[in-house]
Amino acid sequence: MHDIRWIRENAEAFDAGLARRGLDPIAKKVLEADARRRATRTKVQEAKNRRNGLSEQIGAARRRGEEASALVAEVGGLKDLIRDSEAEERRLDAGIEELLSPLPNLPADDAPDGFDETANVEVRRVGEPPRFDFDAQDHVDLGAALGMMDFEAAARISGARFVVLEGGLARLERALANFMLDVQTEEFGYRETKPPSLVRDAAAYGTGQLPKFAGDLFRTEDGYWLIPTAEVPLTNLAGGRILAEDDLPIRRVACTPCYRSEAGAAGKDTRGMIRQHEFTKVELVAIAHPDRSDEELEYMTGCAEAILKRLGLAYRVVALGCGDLGFSARKTYDIEVWLPGQDAYREISSCSNCGDFQARRMDARFRPGGQPRGTRFAHTLNGSGLAVGRALIAVVENYQRADGAVVVPEVLRPYMGSLEVIRAGG
RNA sequence: GGAGGGGUGGCCGAGUGGUCGAAGGCGCGCGCUUGGAGAGCGCGUGUACGCUUGCGUACCGUGGGUUCGAAUCCCACCCCCUCCGCCA
């Protein structure tokens, strides 16, 4: 949600920010509605001021045992005015909410200009893609040959865009999740958190999924939303609260299932488990001081990269162009891992600084220390650390052998009962 | 699913029609005290908005209603808790 006062004072910058996202200017419309609302508010307040004064006189007169019917008649004339003006004020409030709530966050100054993927800027490239002296297969063929990845079985019980993992690959997924959680909690200061996977409207609104992206989510019959990412519950844990400045940053990590109804709607990535309705993700969230959220984004991105480094996977970090930014983000780094099966770098993590955009929506504030009054909105950040399903793909494809077996990366072996190679029949 | 109880400021908790933006406590800030800390004492401490630099308005879960006037009375809704039932 945008700060109406900021728009008032920075109308041109506001429209310029929207333009960088490829959106039409709207400040003029917003400010006109805002002016009408303020005029109405003033009218209401003046009427109430008169009413309150008269009511006080009535009370005083009655306590003295005096007649007050003249005063009562006078204040009675204000009732309609107040009721109608208040209704008008609420209508204008709703109108402004309707204008502002679908608007995405403004890009950070240092987010690259441009409207599509070609605008993305590669920040760094780490590690070398493996070279195979045989024809490398993708994870679908490898998984099928191992007898551990079954899309047909999943389709029978759930339909398209689901997968059944079995045996060594099922265990590999669990090992990856546990490895990621342990690194983030033990080395980087994230507090392990196990949030609900179903949330209410207010939470989905707080992180920006609602009202605009309801169609991307699954919803239960009794009105819960299935989380598309643990960002939703983790970030909302700070909602409606006033935190202590000394407690910032608050860093949390969670491994949850993620549910996306939109996955595959565009017909992209129809093969394999790149894009699924349900997948596992280890998510990082930070509630940060506004003055330090930029450095927190760098820190968080480094925490996600650490996982790839230790898994020995080649990757690159890309700063997203304005047009590619998510709804709530002001700056985003995507981390793309090398997938031999696709002969390409593919997104495995996305780390974003949302500034105070989500904090306003969910009312996440902190009280600056050393002063008894006043609050400020916190900044919120989130990043995958990492998408577990895609990490599994990456391991399978990068660690494949000519015989179709998959070598278990060393850091995962303690999580796999010291298993060194995943073979068919295992 | 059945029955009951309850939502008040950063937190706890009083308050049944005007003197309530709201007692008291905790916490927090400043000061006194101390070698220092603590205790103790004193003072101060909600948020948002509007017009204007001092006022005004709103907010006691949300929205309606009654009334000259609502935290307080009425209605609807949301949420939380307890007990019973069911259940991983």
Side-chain angles (χ1 to χ4, degrees):
Chain A
M1 181 59 66
H2 293 286
D3 180 1
I4 187 76
R5 281 175 302 178
W6 191 88
I7 299 175
R8 235 179 259 157
E9 288 157 21
N10 303 275
E12 284 180 24
F14 185 73
D15 280 342
L18 291 178
R20 294 182 70 206
R21 282 204 182 241
L23 296 172
D24 295 330
I26 197 171
K28 185 163 179 283
K29 202 170 168 188
V30 170
L31 292 181
E32 280 169 5
D34 180 50
R36 281 200 301 277
R37 173 172 65 173
R38 280 191 291 164
T40 305
R41 190 162 287 168
T42 302
K43 193 163 70 176
V44 169
Q45 293 186 356
E46 283 170 354
K48 283 189 171 177
N49 187 15
R50 265 183 289 157
R51 182 195 65 187
N52 291 349
L54 288 167
S55 291
E56 223 169 286
Q57 291 178 40
I58 291 168
R62 293 229 171 123
R63 254 173 278 126
R64 291 193 302 267
E66 295 171 8
E67 174 61 30
S69 57
L71 290 170
V72 171
E74 188 180 348
V75 76
L78 291 169
K79 284 192 75 175
D80 286 349
L81 174 68
I82 289 173
R83 195 190 55 231
D84 294 347
S85 301
E86 279 185 324
E88 174 75 358
E89 188 182 349
R90 273 193 306 277
R91 204 180 56 77
L92 292 167
D93 279 344
I96 289 171
E97 166 83 14
E98 238 171 87
L99 282 176
L100 291 183
S101 63
L103 294 180
N105 202 355
L106 300 182
D109 290 340
D110 60 347
D113 280 311
F115 300 116
D116 56 29
E117 283 181 20
T118 63
N120 296 348
V121 173
E122 183 174 301
V123 177
R124 57 184 165 271
R125 198 176 277 237
V126 178
E128 282 294 318
R131 271 192 293 274
F132 300 102
D133 51 11
F134 55 90
D135 279 344
Q137 299 178 274
D138 76 357
H139 66 281
V140 180
D141 292 336
L142 288 163
L146 287 167
M148 299 175 181
M149 186 181 293
D150 193 337
F151 293 96
E152 287 73 26
R156 281 198 299 278
I157 55 175
S158 300
R161 299 207 177 262
F162 291 93
V163 69
V164 173
L165 297 178
E166 299 173 59
L169 290 189
R171 186 171 192 182
L172 178 61
E173 154 134 353
R174 180 159 57 90
L176 281 163
N178 285 336
F179 167 65
M180 292 174 194
L181 282 169
D182 284 350
V183 170
Q184 301 303 346
T185 55
E186 290 168 10
E187 298 181 39
F188 298 135
Y190 289 85
R191 180 173 177 79
E192 183 163 357
T193 306
K194 180 66 189 75
S197 301
L198 272 58
V199 298
R200 332 174 188 288
D201 291 358
Y205 177 85
T207 33
Q209 277 74 28
L210 296 183
K212 207 177 169 190
F213 303 103
D216 295 350
L217 306 179
F218 286 108
R219 190 177 200 207
T220 69
E221 262 186 41
D222 32 12
Y224 292 106
W225 301 96
L226 276 66
I227 58 170
T229 159
E231 169 200 345
V232 176
L234 292 187
T235 310
N236 274 284
L237 282 172
R241 311 197 50 203
I242 299 179
L243 307 162
E245 183 173 32
D246 288 348
D247 291 341
L248 303 179
I250 295 173
R251 299 187 177 119
R252 293 182 185 276
V253 59
C255 177
T256 69
C258 301
Y259 300 94
R260 301 198 178 174
S261 148
E262 101 288 359
K268 274 190 214 161
D269 299 316
T270 50
R271 178 179 166 83
M273 50 183 289
I274 293 265
R275 210 174 287 269
Q276 303 266 283
H277 283 313
E278 173 178 351
F279 60 97
T280 306
K281 183 157 57 66
V282 170
E283 180 76 1
L284 308 173
V285 158
I287 311 298
H289 193 287
D291 299 342
R292 290 190 286 278
S293 67
D294 287 339
E295 58 196 81
E296 186 70 21
L297 178 63
E298 303 300 323
Y299 178 82
M300 179 178 278
T301 307
C303 294
E305 289 179 66
I307 302 294
L308 289 168
K309 284 180 184 160
R310 293 184 201 195
L311 288 172
L313 295 169
Y315 67 90
R316 58 176 197 157
V317 178
V318 166
L320 286 195
C322 291
D324 244 18
L325 288 174
F327 180 74
S328 296
R330 64 191 306 273
K331 182 175 183 184
T332 295
Y333 291 119
D334 271 7
I335 303 174
E336 300 179 342
V337 69
W338 178 257
L339 293 185
Q342 306 221 343
D343 202 34
Y345 287 99
R346 292 301 305 263
E347 177 185 346
I348 194 167
S349 172
S350 189
C351 301
S352 300
N353 182 359
C354 297
D356 65 4
F357 186 81
Q358 294 177 325
R360 284 180 188 285
R361 293 170 85 96
M362 68 179 70
D363 196 23
R365 293 174 289 170
F366 71 96
R367 194 180 296 284
Q371 58 186 75
R373 57 166 70 188
T375 59
R376 293 179 69 184
F377 286 109
H379 281 193
T380 63
L381 302 95
N382 62 81
S384 352
L386 309 162
V388 178
R390 289 192 183 176
L392 181 134
I393 295 173
V395 167
V396 167
E397 294 189 359
N398 281 277
Y399 282 86
Q400 63 180 297
R401 298 194 316 200
D403 63 358
V406 173
V407 175
V408 178
E410 283 199 30
V411 291
L412 295 181
R413 290 178 190 171
Y415 297 90
M416 298 281 289
S418 301
L419 186 69
E420 293 178 12
V421 179
I422 299 173
R423 294 185 178 83

